[in-house]
Amino acid sequence: MRLFPRLLLNHLVVVIVTASVLLVVAELSAQPFIQHHVAQMMELLGAPGNHMRSDLTNGMRVTLTRALLAALPLALLVAVLTAWVAARRVTASVRHLQAGSRAIASGQYDRRLPEDGEDELTELARSFNTMAGTLARVEQTRAELIGNVAHELRTPVAAVRGYAEAAQDGILPADKALAAIAREVAGMERLAHDLSLVSRVEGGRVELHLRSVPLRDLLRQAQDRFHLAFEDRPVTLQVDLPAAEVVVWVDAQRAQQVLANLLSNALKHTPAGGTVRVSADVHGPEVTVAVADTGSGIAPEHLDRVFERFYRVDAARTPGEGSGVGLTIARGLARAMQGDLTATSASGQGSTFRWTVPLSPAPARLPQR
């Protein structure tokens, strides 16, 4: 049975039960009142009216019953109409929800339900609209992902074709063409590897080997790995090494990958003569590693999206600047290791990425600042 007739039937059952109880209670409870009223009348009439006591009692009782029965059809009619209106109002919201669900299922992610009222159905409508908005963003992200992957592949594929045609036409020596083709293929392999890693990280399928690692060693390794790149820019890399006893609970290889993504991103967006500073602070059961640069910063409208796959603040996409998923991988790995990665920035004032890392179960801690 559909919802409307079921609701209407439930209301009618309540009405019938209420009417039945009213009649029964009225019949049972009216007798003492009638007898009391008749007794008062007999006192006024005196002895000549005593023989009328029984007739008056029965007459008043029959009159009350007839009045109730006469009023009952109209009362039932009004109750049925009220139940019908109430059931229609309740099912109207359900019908809106049903229509919205069908629209979402057909791909109309901009469909929204009215949110008038403060009842549970309104809360359900709000939840539905939140879900629809989330699905719309997911669909937009999916479309952007397809477009971005196509863009990332279009350039190397076109280059490979060009080198191959140049070798065939004798414009480019075969060995140089093959070397160039191998370079472009290597770039596509890196893209495929990054996409695979993003998929595994976001799906919670990345393999981790968590252990106690001195934070000082992690930062020193990252510094040794990037100091030449920073010198070539030239950009100053300042690493504030923490006390040797600060020990974190991470996968050392994945932790280096997070730091590499953060440092390479900071180097890319810091102009020559700028500074990138790496610091660490202990807060309760975790340590925060901050990577701050003196670059151009990130506008507020872009800040919430820098961790999305392929999202770049600068719409001009330059080949060779990476696959555009580095920060996505870094945040996924940070969260997989029970930490997080956040960003704060302001246009023209540089950016700061903060990586929270859980401390080892029983480490000595860095003195609070």
Side-chain angles (χ1 to χ4, degrees):
M1 184 181 295
R2 297 180 66 84
L3 180 61
F4 174 73
R6 189 164 66 247
L7 281 175
L8 182 60
L9 181 60
N10 289 337
H11 287 316
L12 293 180
V13 169
V14 172
V15 169
I16 293 173
V17 170
T18 302
S20 302
V21 171
L22 177 63
L23 288 174
V24 172
V25 172
E27 288 291 332
L28 295 177
S29 62
Q31 185 67 21
F33 297 103
I34 293 175
Q35 289 179 352
H36 178 70
H37 183 66
V38 170
Q40 289 180 333
M41 293 178 62
M42 292 302 99
E43 291 179 0
L44 295 175
L45 294 176
N50 287 333
H51 67 280
M52 300 173 59
R53 180 187 296 270
S54 178
D55 292 339
L56 286 172
T57 301
N58 291 333
M60 294 183 68
R61 184 169 182 176
V62 170
T63 300
L64 176 62
T65 302
R66 288 176 178 175
L68 289 173
L69 292 175
L72 186 60
L74 179 60
L76 287 176
L77 177 60
V78 172
V80 168
L81 292 176
T82 304
W84 188 86
V85 172
R88 290 290 295 180
R89 292 189 61 184
V90 172
T91 55
S93 299
V94 178
R95 287 195 300 273
H96 284 306
L97 180 61
Q98 184 181 38
S101 300
R102 289 176 178 173
I104 291 293
S106 63
Q108 302 176 29
Y109 298 109
D110 57 343
R111 181 67 175 270
R112 297 294 183 270
L113 299 181
E115 300 181 6
D116 302 328
E118 296 295 335
D119 55 7
E120 289 80 0
L121 289 175
T122 303
E123 290 297 325
L124 181 60
R126 291 195 183 101
S127 299
F128 177 90
N129 291 339
T130 301
M131 179 195 69
T134 302
L135 288 175
R137 289 191 294 272
V138 169
E139 177 62 19
Q140 180 182 2
T141 302
R142 184 191 68 82
E144 290 177 354
L145 175 62
I146 294 174
N148 289 328
V149 171
H151 176 86
E152 293 292 340
L153 291 176
R154 187 180 299 116
T155 300
V157 168
V160 168
R161 176 180 294 177
Y163 289 131
E165 291 177 351
Q168 289 176 345
D169 296 339
I171 301 175
L172 190 67
D175 55 343
K176 292 185 177 181
L178 290 175
I181 291 174
R183 184 174 62 252
E184 298 297 335
V185 170
M188 288 188 285
E189 288 179 344
R190 286 193 298 272
L191 175 61
H193 176 269
D194 288 344
L195 289 175
S196 176
L197 182 56
V198 167
S199 176
R200 286 185 286 118
V201 167
E202 294 184 344
R205 301 188 306 273
V206 62
E207 184 178 358
L208 295 175
H209 302 282
L210 300 177
R211 61 185 179 90
S212 298
V213 180
L215 180 59
R216 188 183 185 91
D217 293 348
L218 289 177
L219 297 184
R220 193 189 300 277
Q221 291 173 14
Q223 183 180 23
D224 293 341
R225 181 179 178 184
F226 278 88
H227 81 277
L228 291 178
F230 275 78
E231 288 180 359
D232 291 340
R233 183 86 176 171
V235 173
T236 301
L237 176 60
Q238 178 183 345
V239 180
D240 300 334
L241 295 175
E245 61 269 16
V246 178
V247 181
V248 292
W249 188 250
V250 295
D251 181 312
Q253 181 179 358
R254 297 302 186 185
Q256 284 296 328
Q257 193 169 359
V258 173
L259 289 172
N261 280 318
L262 294 180
L263 289 174
S264 61
N265 184 73
L267 177 61
K268 183 189 307 179
H269 295 93
T270 303
T275 301
V276 175
R277 180 172 179 260
V278 182
S279 60
D281 287 291
V282 174
H283 303 282
E286 62 187 19
V287 60
T288 299
V289 178
V291 178
D293 62 62
T294 57
S296 58
I298 305 171
E301 62 269 20
H302 299 295
L303 191 59
D304 293 337
R305 302 193 62 189
V306 294
F307 295 103
E308 294 181 10
R309 289 167 292 184
F310 294 104
Y311 186 81
R312 291 177 180 174
V313 175
D314 186 3
R317 307 175 61 85
T318 303
E321 290 188 352
S323 61
V325 296
L327 289 178
T328 307
I329 294 173
R331 170 176 271 189
L333 290 175
R335 291 179 173 177
M337 292 185 287
Q338 307 305 313
D340 201 359
L341 182 61
T342 58
T344 56
S345 181
S347 295
Q349 299 180 13
S351 306
T352 301
F353 288 83
R354 291 180 174 86
W355 174 28
T356 57
V357 192
L359 292 172
S360 190
R365 296 186 178 180
L366 181 67
Q368 300 286 342
R369 295 189 177 183

